[in-house]
Amino acid sequence: MSQRPITQAIRTRVDMTNEMEHSSPVFFTSSFTFDNAEDMRAAFADETDDNIYSRFSNPGVKEFQDRVCALEGAEAAYATSSGMSAVFASFMAILKQGDHMVSYNAIFGSTHTIITKYFPRFGIDYSYISGNDTEQWERAIRPNTRMIFLETPTNPGLEIVDLEKISALAKKHNLILVVDNCFATPLGQRPIDFGADLVVHSATKWMDGQGRVLGGVVAGRSDLVHDIYLFCRSTGPAMSPFNAWVLSRSLETLDVRMERHSANALYIAQALEGHPKINQLKYPFLKSHPQYEIAIKQMKSGGGIVCFDLKGGLQSGRKFLDGLKMLSLTANLGDARSIVSHPASTTHAKLSESERAAVNITPGLIRISVGLEHRDDILQDILQSLEQC
Ligand SMILES: *Cc1c(COP(=O)(O)O)cnc(C)c1O
């Protein structure tokens, strides 16, 4: 009987020896030895899948990749040093000079930088789209369009893109659909089930779950993952064996952690909705969310992020951060400890007011990554700080 994905994410392991430690070892080695010249020749000729060098593959990294495949329902996966190297490798391995990409406009800041600053240098063109009007998406497609890229829910605005509709559009025009699934995690949403070709992750966030290591992974169609693997094998953004070991252990608790993160986030969102200091609050599983119907169709839970807009704007945003006694002010998200951020004065400060408005980042926008502390302690800290702004 084949095991269910959650069990595979806990039980899958790669072993080099017959004597097995119950916990997987860390494969701290840069290269692997061969018994004879013929075995070594065959490995280099890709006739066997023996490990050669840790820039190409490493048993512990493979364990992490296999577990992600199980969770995402993917054919293959390749793990990278960070989420951004996973995003970058997906672009570089698939796109070439003269190609065009259609991308959702509200995407992670560094992804936006790759597209707007570096794509033009390599002769790759792009169009940004917002909203879920598929006709608008379709109008952006050109004869040289090769890829659709999107993130859902988006960071930090929590906009939801309809995976079923956009997948159908990608299939119709023979385009490769790549989805950044960092915010939902494979426990919250499986884009491949809706027709996505590739899923990319920042494993740094919810997958790690305790803010310890950087990591990234690309999972999906084996032919595309193989191209990404070949690109990475030559360019070098491999995941460290130690980070792979940490992240494989993290996947064993991802299901229970995401359940609690989502339950805590829903509780906080419900408690804060309608607060006199707040204009608009967003959480994918609240009926008031503009894309609630799409969220409940494609997501199993609402995830751990809540965002709201403070009536007092920029000054209130800064006051809110200063008034917090427990929540951490840090650039990460997806941690056991609750984290707050104020995009307009930090991550998105370099954008103009109108650029921020285009991706729904208002001056008073606050993003909360709801942790695993007792939900009333999280709420209490937020409420006492709201009093002061
Ligand atoms: C953090 C993040 C990334 C980048 O990941 P790193 O591990 O920091 O390189 C990409 N996409 C989203 C949605 C993220 O939140």
Side-chain angles (χ1 to χ4, degrees), residues 81-87 107-111 149 151-155 180-183 200-206 213-216 331-333 367:
S81 56
S82 70
M84 283 325 300
S85 50
V87 171
I107 47 172
F108 187 68
S110 298
T111 310
F149 181 85
E151 207 176 289
T152 182
T154 63
N155 176 9
D180 184 333
N181 199 28
C182 172
F183 263 38
V200 292
H201 275 284
S202 168
T204 315
K205 313 287 171 55
W206 303 103
V213 298
L214 292 179
N332 199 20
L333 62 91
R367 183 191 75 191

PDB file of all heavy atoms in Angstrom, residues 81-87 107-111 149 151-155 180-183 200-206 213-216 331-333 367, ligand 1:
ATOM      1  N   SER A  81      20.314  26.816  -2.836  1.00  0.00           N
ATOM      2  CA  SER A  81      20.840  27.503  -1.657  1.00  0.00           C
ATOM      3  C   SER A  81      19.848  28.478  -1.017  1.00  0.00           C
ATOM      4  O   SER A  81      19.959  28.792   0.162  1.00  0.00           O
ATOM      5  CB  SER A  81      22.102  28.263  -2.053  1.00  0.00           C
ATOM      6  OG  SER A  81      21.801  29.145  -3.130  1.00  0.00           O
ATOM      7  N   SER A  82      18.899  28.990  -1.790  1.00  0.00           N
ATOM      8  CA  SER A  82      17.906  29.940  -1.263  1.00  0.00           C
ATOM      9  C   SER A  82      16.680  29.916  -2.172  1.00  0.00           C
ATOM     10  O   SER A  82      16.728  29.347  -3.271  1.00  0.00           O
ATOM     11  CB  SER A  82      18.485  31.360  -1.227  1.00  0.00           C
ATOM     12  OG  SER A  82      18.642  31.846  -2.539  1.00  0.00           O
ATOM     13  N   GLY A  83      15.624  30.558  -1.712  1.00  0.00           N
ATOM     14  CA  GLY A  83      14.429  30.668  -2.549  1.00  0.00           C
ATOM     15  C   GLY A  83      14.732  31.418  -3.833  1.00  0.00           C
ATOM     16  O   GLY A  83      14.267  31.056  -4.916  1.00  0.00           O
ATOM     17  N   MET A  84      15.543  32.486  -3.719  1.00  0.00           N
ATOM     18  CA  MET A  84      15.830  33.274  -4.910  1.00  0.00           C
ATOM     19  C   MET A  84      16.647  32.504  -5.936  1.00  0.00           C
ATOM     20  O   MET A  84      16.471  32.689  -7.141  1.00  0.00           O
ATOM     21  CB  MET A  84      16.541  34.595  -4.542  1.00  0.00           C
ATOM     22  CG  MET A  84      15.610  35.664  -3.985  1.00  0.00           C
ATOM     23  SD  MET A  84      13.943  35.708  -4.701  1.00  0.00           S
ATOM     24  CE  MET A  84      14.287  36.029  -6.419  1.00  0.00           C
ATOM     25  N   SER A  85      17.550  31.617  -5.492  1.00  0.00           N
ATOM     26  CA  SER A  85      18.288  30.845  -6.503  1.00  0.00           C
ATOM     27  C   SER A  85      17.352  29.845  -7.180  1.00  0.00           C
ATOM     28  O   SER A  85      17.551  29.519  -8.353  1.00  0.00           O
ATOM     29  CB  SER A  85      19.554  30.193  -5.943  1.00  0.00           C
ATOM     30  OG  SER A  85      19.298  29.485  -4.780  1.00  0.00           O
ATOM     31  N   ALA A  86      16.322  29.386  -6.482  1.00  0.00           N
ATOM     32  CA  ALA A  86      15.325  28.506  -7.121  1.00  0.00           C
ATOM     33  C   ALA A  86      14.540  29.281  -8.188  1.00  0.00           C
ATOM     34  O   ALA A  86      14.325  28.788  -9.303  1.00  0.00           O
ATOM     35  CB  ALA A  86      14.378  27.926  -6.073  1.00  0.00           C
ATOM     36  N   VAL A  87      14.138  30.502  -7.849  1.00  0.00           N
ATOM     37  CA  VAL A  87      13.397  31.342  -8.804  1.00  0.00           C
ATOM     38  C   VAL A  87      14.291  31.662 -10.009  1.00  0.00           C
ATOM     39  O   VAL A  87      13.900  31.471 -11.169  1.00  0.00           O
ATOM     40  CB  VAL A  87      12.916  32.660  -8.130  1.00  0.00           C
ATOM     41  CG1 VAL A  87      12.339  33.628  -9.150  1.00  0.00           C
ATOM     42  CG2 VAL A  87      11.885  32.370  -7.037  1.00  0.00           C
ATOM     43  N   ILE A 107       4.563  40.359  -6.800  1.00  0.00           N
ATOM     44  CA  ILE A 107       5.441  39.205  -6.563  1.00  0.00           C
ATOM     45  C   ILE A 107       6.529  39.633  -5.581  1.00  0.00           C
ATOM     46  O   ILE A 107       6.705  40.816  -5.312  1.00  0.00           O
ATOM     47  CB  ILE A 107       6.086  38.685  -7.872  1.00  0.00           C
ATOM     48  CG1 ILE A 107       6.658  39.843  -8.672  1.00  0.00           C
ATOM     49  CG2 ILE A 107       5.080  37.879  -8.690  1.00  0.00           C
ATOM     50  CD1 ILE A 107       7.477  39.411  -9.865  1.00  0.00           C
ATOM     51  N   PHE A 108       7.257  38.665  -5.083  1.00  0.00           N
ATOM     52  CA  PHE A 108       8.319  38.935  -4.112  1.00  0.00           C
ATOM     53  C   PHE A 108       9.304  39.966  -4.674  1.00  0.00           C
ATOM     54  O   PHE A 108       9.635  39.931  -5.863  1.00  0.00           O
ATOM     55  CB  PHE A 108       9.019  37.612  -3.767  1.00  0.00           C
ATOM     56  CG  PHE A 108      10.015  37.741  -2.665  1.00  0.00           C
ATOM     57  CD1 PHE A 108       9.613  38.015  -1.372  1.00  0.00           C
ATOM     58  CD2 PHE A 108      11.375  37.594  -2.917  1.00  0.00           C
ATOM     59  CE1 PHE A 108      10.535  38.135  -0.343  1.00  0.00           C
ATOM     60  CE2 PHE A 108      12.302  37.709  -1.898  1.00  0.00           C
ATOM     61  CZ  PHE A 108      11.889  37.986  -0.608  1.00  0.00           C
ATOM     62  N   GLY A 109       9.767  40.892  -3.823  1.00  0.00           N
ATOM     63  CA  GLY A 109      10.601  42.015  -4.248  1.00  0.00           C
ATOM     64  C   GLY A 109      11.815  41.630  -5.093  1.00  0.00           C
ATOM     65  O   GLY A 109      12.090  42.262  -6.114  1.00  0.00           O
ATOM     66  N   SER A 110      12.545  40.597  -4.669  1.00  0.00           N
ATOM     67  CA  SER A 110      13.753  40.226  -5.420  1.00  0.00           C
ATOM     68  C   SER A 110      13.400  39.577  -6.755  1.00  0.00           C
ATOM     69  O   SER A 110      14.167  39.696  -7.722  1.00  0.00           O
ATOM     70  CB  SER A 110      14.628  39.276  -4.596  1.00  0.00           C
ATOM     71  OG  SER A 110      15.047  39.927  -3.422  1.00  0.00           O
ATOM     72  N   THR A 111      12.253  38.903  -6.833  1.00  0.00           N
ATOM     73  CA  THR A 111      11.797  38.348  -8.116  1.00  0.00           C
ATOM     74  C   THR A 111      11.494  39.505  -9.070  1.00  0.00           C
ATOM     75  O   THR A 111      11.868  39.479 -10.254  1.00  0.00           O
ATOM     76  CB  THR A 111      10.545  37.466  -7.915  1.00  0.00           C
ATOM     77  OG1 THR A 111      10.798  36.533  -6.866  1.00  0.00           O
ATOM     78  CG2 THR A 111      10.165  36.729  -9.176  1.00  0.00           C
ATOM     79  N   PHE A 149       4.371  33.350 -14.784  1.00  0.00           N
ATOM     80  CA  PHE A 149       4.888  33.244 -13.417  1.00  0.00           C
ATOM     81  C   PHE A 149       3.935  33.955 -12.473  1.00  0.00           C
ATOM     82  O   PHE A 149       3.494  35.071 -12.749  1.00  0.00           O
ATOM     83  CB  PHE A 149       6.284  33.873 -13.322  1.00  0.00           C
ATOM     84  CG  PHE A 149       6.877  33.777 -11.945  1.00  0.00           C
ATOM     85  CD1 PHE A 149       7.567  32.645 -11.547  1.00  0.00           C
ATOM     86  CD2 PHE A 149       6.711  34.811 -11.023  1.00  0.00           C
ATOM     87  CE1 PHE A 149       8.094  32.531 -10.256  1.00  0.00           C
ATOM     88  CE2 PHE A 149       7.224  34.709  -9.734  1.00  0.00           C
ATOM     89  CZ  PHE A 149       7.919  33.570  -9.361  1.00  0.00           C
ATOM     90  N   GLU A 151       2.524  34.210  -8.015  1.00  0.00           N
ATOM     91  CA  GLU A 151       2.656  33.881  -6.606  1.00  0.00           C
ATOM     92  C   GLU A 151       1.237  33.958  -6.044  1.00  0.00           C
ATOM     93  O   GLU A 151       0.521  34.899  -6.356  1.00  0.00           O
ATOM     94  CB  GLU A 151       3.484  35.022  -6.009  1.00  0.00           C
ATOM     95  CG  GLU A 151       4.307  34.738  -4.804  1.00  0.00           C
ATOM     96  CD  GLU A 151       5.121  36.001  -4.462  1.00  0.00           C
ATOM     97  OE1 GLU A 151       6.068  36.333  -5.197  1.00  0.00           O
ATOM     98  OE2 GLU A 151       4.780  36.650  -3.472  1.00  0.00           O
ATOM     99  N   THR A 152       0.812  32.996  -5.263  1.00  0.00           N
ATOM    100  CA  THR A 152      -0.500  33.086  -4.615  1.00  0.00           C
ATOM    101  C   THR A 152      -0.515  32.281  -3.332  1.00  0.00           C
ATOM    102  O   THR A 152      -0.083  31.127  -3.365  1.00  0.00           O
ATOM    103  CB  THR A 152      -1.643  32.654  -5.569  1.00  0.00           C
ATOM    104  OG1 THR A 152      -2.901  32.814  -4.883  1.00  0.00           O
ATOM    105  CG2 THR A 152      -1.547  31.199  -6.036  1.00  0.00           C
ATOM    106  N   PRO A 153      -0.931  32.832  -2.197  1.00  0.00           N
ATOM    107  CA  PRO A 153      -1.220  34.237  -1.966  1.00  0.00           C
ATOM    108  C   PRO A 153       0.046  35.080  -2.136  1.00  0.00           C
ATOM    109  O   PRO A 153       1.139  34.589  -1.896  1.00  0.00           O
ATOM    110  CB  PRO A 153      -1.677  34.281  -0.494  1.00  0.00           C
ATOM    111  CG  PRO A 153      -2.001  32.880  -0.114  1.00  0.00           C
ATOM    112  CD  PRO A 153      -1.171  32.009  -0.963  1.00  0.00           C
ATOM    113  N   THR A 154      -0.153  36.348  -2.514  1.00  0.00           N
ATOM    114  CA  THR A 154       0.998  37.209  -2.757  1.00  0.00           C
ATOM    115  C   THR A 154       1.562  37.748  -1.445  1.00  0.00           C
ATOM    116  O   THR A 154       0.862  37.841  -0.439  1.00  0.00           O
ATOM    117  CB  THR A 154       0.635  38.389  -3.672  1.00  0.00           C
ATOM    118  OG1 THR A 154      -0.348  39.196  -3.005  1.00  0.00           O
ATOM    119  CG2 THR A 154       0.071  37.911  -5.001  1.00  0.00           C
ATOM    120  N   ASN A 155       2.849  38.090  -1.498  1.00  0.00           N
ATOM    121  CA  ASN A 155       3.563  38.646  -0.360  1.00  0.00           C
ATOM    122  C   ASN A 155       3.811  40.116  -0.638  1.00  0.00           C
ATOM    123  O   ASN A 155       4.435  40.428  -1.636  1.00  0.00           O
ATOM    124  CB  ASN A 155       4.905  37.910  -0.215  1.00  0.00           C
ATOM    125  CG  ASN A 155       5.778  38.459   0.889  1.00  0.00           C
ATOM    126  OD1 ASN A 155       5.355  39.284   1.682  1.00  0.00           O
ATOM    127  ND2 ASN A 155       7.021  37.994   0.939  1.00  0.00           N
ATOM    128  N   ASP A 180       5.093  30.332  -7.396  1.00  0.00           N
ATOM    129  CA  ASP A 180       5.802  30.467  -6.123  1.00  0.00           C
ATOM    130  C   ASP A 180       4.798  30.117  -5.025  1.00  0.00           C
ATOM    131  O   ASP A 180       3.851  30.864  -4.769  1.00  0.00           O
ATOM    132  CB  ASP A 180       6.325  31.908  -5.985  1.00  0.00           C
ATOM    133  CG  ASP A 180       7.168  32.123  -4.730  1.00  0.00           C
ATOM    134  OD1 ASP A 180       6.954  31.400  -3.738  1.00  0.00           O
ATOM    135  OD2 ASP A 180       8.028  33.031  -4.731  1.00  0.00           O
ATOM    136  N   ASN A 181       5.019  28.959  -4.390  1.00  0.00           N
ATOM    137  CA  ASN A 181       4.038  28.427  -3.420  1.00  0.00           C
ATOM    138  C   ASN A 181       4.497  28.624  -1.984  1.00  0.00           C
ATOM    139  O   ASN A 181       4.074  27.907  -1.078  1.00  0.00           O
ATOM    140  CB  ASN A 181       3.830  26.920  -3.706  1.00  0.00           C
ATOM    141  CG  ASN A 181       2.548  26.375  -3.117  1.00  0.00           C
ATOM    142  OD1 ASN A 181       1.574  27.104  -2.941  1.00  0.00           O
ATOM    143  ND2 ASN A 181       2.543  25.087  -2.786  1.00  0.00           N
ATOM    144  N   CYS A 182       5.347  29.618  -1.781  1.00  0.00           N
ATOM    145  CA  CYS A 182       5.971  29.833  -0.472  1.00  0.00           C
ATOM    146  C   CYS A 182       4.944  30.106   0.632  1.00  0.00           C
ATOM    147  O   CYS A 182       5.021  29.533   1.709  1.00  0.00           O
ATOM    148  CB  CYS A 182       6.935  31.007  -0.595  1.00  0.00           C
ATOM    149  SG  CYS A 182       7.621  31.551   0.952  1.00  0.00           S
ATOM    150  N   PHE A 183       3.959  30.962   0.352  1.00  0.00           N
ATOM    151  CA  PHE A 183       3.033  31.379   1.416  1.00  0.00           C
ATOM    152  C   PHE A 183       2.078  30.268   1.837  1.00  0.00           C
ATOM    153  O   PHE A 183       1.739  30.159   3.004  1.00  0.00           O
ATOM    154  CB  PHE A 183       2.237  32.626   0.977  1.00  0.00           C
ATOM    155  CG  PHE A 183       2.821  33.905   1.498  1.00  0.00           C
ATOM    156  CD1 PHE A 183       4.201  34.063   1.571  1.00  0.00           C
ATOM    157  CD2 PHE A 183       2.005  34.945   1.914  1.00  0.00           C
ATOM    158  CE1 PHE A 183       4.762  35.234   2.068  1.00  0.00           C
ATOM    159  CE2 PHE A 183       2.553  36.124   2.414  1.00  0.00           C
ATOM    160  CZ  PHE A 183       3.923  36.270   2.491  1.00  0.00           C
ATOM    161  N   VAL A 200       7.944  26.706  -7.134  1.00  0.00           N
ATOM    162  CA  VAL A 200       9.186  27.112  -6.481  1.00  0.00           C
ATOM    163  C   VAL A 200       8.880  27.500  -5.036  1.00  0.00           C
ATOM    164  O   VAL A 200       7.769  27.947  -4.723  1.00  0.00           O
ATOM    165  CB  VAL A 200       9.907  28.290  -7.203  1.00  0.00           C
ATOM    166  CG1 VAL A 200      10.430  27.859  -8.549  1.00  0.00           C
ATOM    167  CG2 VAL A 200       8.999  29.500  -7.330  1.00  0.00           C
ATOM    168  N   HIS A 201       9.874  27.302  -4.181  1.00  0.00           N
ATOM    169  CA  HIS A 201       9.712  27.601  -2.758  1.00  0.00           C
ATOM    170  C   HIS A 201      10.919  28.312  -2.204  1.00  0.00           C
ATOM    171  O   HIS A 201      12.051  27.981  -2.542  1.00  0.00           O
ATOM    172  CB  HIS A 201       9.595  26.299  -1.943  1.00  0.00           C
ATOM    173  CG  HIS A 201       8.216  25.756  -1.893  1.00  0.00           C
ATOM    174  ND1 HIS A 201       7.249  26.296  -1.103  1.00  0.00           N
ATOM    175  CD2 HIS A 201       7.647  24.719  -2.539  1.00  0.00           C
ATOM    176  CE1 HIS A 201       6.126  25.610  -1.259  1.00  0.00           C
ATOM    177  NE2 HIS A 201       6.340  24.646  -2.141  1.00  0.00           N
ATOM    178  N   SER A 202      10.657  29.233  -1.289  1.00  0.00           N
ATOM    179  CA  SER A 202      11.676  29.640  -0.348  1.00  0.00           C
ATOM    180  C   SER A 202      11.482  28.713   0.846  1.00  0.00           C
ATOM    181  O   SER A 202      10.534  28.873   1.617  1.00  0.00           O
ATOM    182  CB  SER A 202      11.466  31.096   0.071  1.00  0.00           C
ATOM    183  OG  SER A 202      12.298  31.364   1.188  1.00  0.00           O
ATOM    184  N   ALA A 203      12.380  27.723   0.989  1.00  0.00           N
ATOM    185  CA  ALA A 203      12.287  26.797   2.128  1.00  0.00           C
ATOM    186  C   ALA A 203      12.682  27.481   3.432  1.00  0.00           C
ATOM    187  O   ALA A 203      12.455  26.959   4.518  1.00  0.00           O
ATOM    188  CB  ALA A 203      13.171  25.582   1.880  1.00  0.00           C
ATOM    189  N   THR A 204      13.265  28.681   3.284  1.00  0.00           N
ATOM    190  CA  THR A 204      13.663  29.511   4.419  1.00  0.00           C
ATOM    191  C   THR A 204      12.480  29.848   5.325  1.00  0.00           C
ATOM    192  O   THR A 204      12.655  30.069   6.518  1.00  0.00           O
ATOM    193  CB  THR A 204      14.237  30.846   3.863  1.00  0.00           C
ATOM    194  OG1 THR A 204      15.113  30.561   2.777  1.00  0.00           O
ATOM    195  CG2 THR A 204      14.959  31.633   4.922  1.00  0.00           C
ATOM    196  N   LYS A 205      11.299  29.912   4.749  1.00  0.00           N
ATOM    197  CA  LYS A 205      10.132  30.420   5.477  1.00  0.00           C
ATOM    198  C   LYS A 205       9.422  29.303   6.236  1.00  0.00           C
ATOM    199  O   LYS A 205       9.961  28.760   7.160  1.00  0.00           O
ATOM    200  CB  LYS A 205       9.201  31.144   4.496  1.00  0.00           C
ATOM    201  CG  LYS A 205       9.918  32.122   3.553  1.00  0.00           C
ATOM    202  CD  LYS A 205      10.371  33.394   4.253  1.00  0.00           C
ATOM    203  CE  LYS A 205      11.270  34.277   3.383  1.00  0.00           C
ATOM    204  NZ  LYS A 205      10.727  34.649   2.095  1.00  0.00           N
ATOM    205  N   TRP A 206       8.200  28.940   5.824  1.00  0.00           N
ATOM    206  CA  TRP A 206       7.411  27.974   6.607  1.00  0.00           C
ATOM    207  C   TRP A 206       8.038  26.593   6.634  1.00  0.00           C
ATOM    208  O   TRP A 206       7.880  25.854   7.599  1.00  0.00           O
ATOM    209  CB  TRP A 206       5.984  27.860   6.051  1.00  0.00           C
ATOM    210  CG  TRP A 206       5.258  29.152   6.010  1.00  0.00           C
ATOM    211  CD1 TRP A 206       5.029  29.928   4.913  1.00  0.00           C
ATOM    212  CD2 TRP A 206       4.678  29.859   7.119  1.00  0.00           C
ATOM    213  NE1 TRP A 206       4.344  31.063   5.257  1.00  0.00           N
ATOM    214  CE2 TRP A 206       4.112  31.045   6.599  1.00  0.00           C
ATOM    215  CE3 TRP A 206       4.587  29.600   8.481  1.00  0.00           C
ATOM    216  CZ2 TRP A 206       3.454  31.969   7.409  1.00  0.00           C
ATOM    217  CZ3 TRP A 206       3.929  30.524   9.289  1.00  0.00           C
ATOM    218  CH2 TRP A 206       3.376  31.692   8.755  1.00  0.00           C
ATOM    219  N   VAL A 213      17.781  28.394   8.710  1.00  0.00           N
ATOM    220  CA  VAL A 213      18.621  28.239   7.513  1.00  0.00           C
ATOM    221  C   VAL A 213      17.944  28.820   6.270  1.00  0.00           C
ATOM    222  O   VAL A 213      16.719  28.950   6.216  1.00  0.00           O
ATOM    223  CB  VAL A 213      18.951  26.751   7.227  1.00  0.00           C
ATOM    224  CG1 VAL A 213      19.743  26.136   8.367  1.00  0.00           C
ATOM    225  CG2 VAL A 213      17.689  25.935   6.950  1.00  0.00           C
ATOM    226  N   LEU A 214      18.760  29.116   5.245  1.00  0.00           N
ATOM    227  CA  LEU A 214      18.235  29.503   3.934  1.00  0.00           C
ATOM    228  C   LEU A 214      18.120  28.241   3.075  1.00  0.00           C
ATOM    229  O   LEU A 214      18.934  27.325   3.197  1.00  0.00           O
ATOM    230  CB  LEU A 214      19.188  30.461   3.234  1.00  0.00           C
ATOM    231  CG  LEU A 214      19.380  31.865   3.790  1.00  0.00           C
ATOM    232  CD1 LEU A 214      20.406  32.611   2.935  1.00  0.00           C
ATOM    233  CD2 LEU A 214      18.070  32.641   3.793  1.00  0.00           C
ATOM    234  N   GLY A 215      17.145  28.226   2.210  1.00  0.00           N
ATOM    235  CA  GLY A 215      17.029  27.112   1.278  1.00  0.00           C
ATOM    236  C   GLY A 215      15.944  27.395   0.265  1.00  0.00           C
ATOM    237  O   GLY A 215      15.075  28.250   0.477  1.00  0.00           O
ATOM    238  N   GLY A 216      16.027  26.694  -0.857  1.00  0.00           N
ATOM    239  CA  GLY A 216      15.002  26.823  -1.883  1.00  0.00           C
ATOM    240  C   GLY A 216      14.824  25.494  -2.578  1.00  0.00           C
ATOM    241  O   GLY A 216      15.666  24.597  -2.452  1.00  0.00           O
ATOM    242  N   ALA A 331      13.165  40.565   9.231  1.00  0.00           N
ATOM    243  CA  ALA A 331      12.842  40.470   7.803  1.00  0.00           C
ATOM    244  C   ALA A 331      12.253  39.119   7.400  1.00  0.00           C
ATOM    245  O   ALA A 331      11.755  38.965   6.297  1.00  0.00           O
ATOM    246  CB  ALA A 331      14.093  40.744   6.975  1.00  0.00           C
ATOM    247  N   ASN A 332      12.313  38.129   8.266  1.00  0.00           N
ATOM    248  CA  ASN A 332      11.849  36.797   7.883  1.00  0.00           C
ATOM    249  C   ASN A 332      10.334  36.651   8.113  1.00  0.00           C
ATOM    250  O   ASN A 332       9.666  37.554   8.604  1.00  0.00           O
ATOM    251  CB  ASN A 332      12.613  35.742   8.690  1.00  0.00           C
ATOM    252  CG  ASN A 332      12.546  34.364   8.066  1.00  0.00           C
ATOM    253  OD1 ASN A 332      12.265  34.210   6.882  1.00  0.00           O
ATOM    254  ND2 ASN A 332      12.798  33.351   8.868  1.00  0.00           N
ATOM    255  N   LEU A 333       9.804  35.509   7.748  1.00  0.00           N
ATOM    256  CA  LEU A 333       8.409  35.153   8.068  1.00  0.00           C
ATOM    257  C   LEU A 333       8.351  33.639   8.153  1.00  0.00           C
ATOM    258  O   LEU A 333       9.295  32.944   7.794  1.00  0.00           O
ATOM    259  CB  LEU A 333       7.437  35.697   7.008  1.00  0.00           C
ATOM    260  CG  LEU A 333       7.571  35.187   5.568  1.00  0.00           C
ATOM    261  CD1 LEU A 333       6.693  33.972   5.311  1.00  0.00           C
ATOM    262  CD2 LEU A 333       7.179  36.282   4.594  1.00  0.00           C
ATOM    263  N   ARG A 367       2.044  43.596   7.986  1.00  0.00           N
ATOM    264  CA  ARG A 367       1.979  42.155   7.722  1.00  0.00           C
ATOM    265  C   ARG A 367       2.382  41.404   8.994  1.00  0.00           C
ATOM    266  O   ARG A 367       3.443  41.668   9.555  1.00  0.00           O
ATOM    267  CB  ARG A 367       2.935  41.781   6.590  1.00  0.00           C
ATOM    268  CG  ARG A 367       2.879  40.299   6.196  1.00  0.00           C
ATOM    269  CD  ARG A 367       4.021  39.916   5.273  1.00  0.00           C
ATOM    270  NE  ARG A 367       5.275  39.810   6.012  1.00  0.00           N
ATOM    271  CZ  ARG A 367       6.472  39.707   5.437  1.00  0.00           C
ATOM    272  NH1 ARG A 367       6.597  39.723   4.127  1.00  0.00           N
ATOM    273  NH2 ARG A 367       7.563  39.613   6.177  1.00  0.00           N
TER     274      ARG A 367
HETATM  275  C1  LIG B   1      11.308  34.970   0.917  1.00  0.00           C
HETATM  276  C2  LIG B   1      10.637  34.718  -0.354  1.00  0.00           C
HETATM  277  C3  LIG B   1      11.374  34.392  -1.512  1.00  0.00           C
HETATM  278  C4  LIG B   1      12.892  34.348  -1.514  1.00  0.00           C
HETATM  279  O1  LIG B   1      13.414  33.326  -0.722  1.00  0.00           O
HETATM  280  P1  LIG B   1      14.853  33.380  -0.023  1.00  0.00           P
HETATM  281  O2  LIG B   1      14.962  32.049   0.634  1.00  0.00           O
HETATM  282  O3  LIG B   1      14.846  34.539   0.931  1.00  0.00           O
HETATM  283  O4  LIG B   1      15.863  33.581  -1.103  1.00  0.00           O
HETATM  284  C5  LIG B   1      10.678  34.135  -2.674  1.00  0.00           C
HETATM  285  N1  LIG B   1       9.333  34.198  -2.719  1.00  0.00           N
HETATM  286  C6  LIG B   1       8.590  34.516  -1.630  1.00  0.00           C
HETATM  287  C7  LIG B   1       7.100  34.568  -1.747  1.00  0.00           C
HETATM  288  C8  LIG B   1       9.209  34.773  -0.411  1.00  0.00           C
HETATM  289  O5  LIG B   1       8.463  35.111   0.654  1.00  0.00           O
END
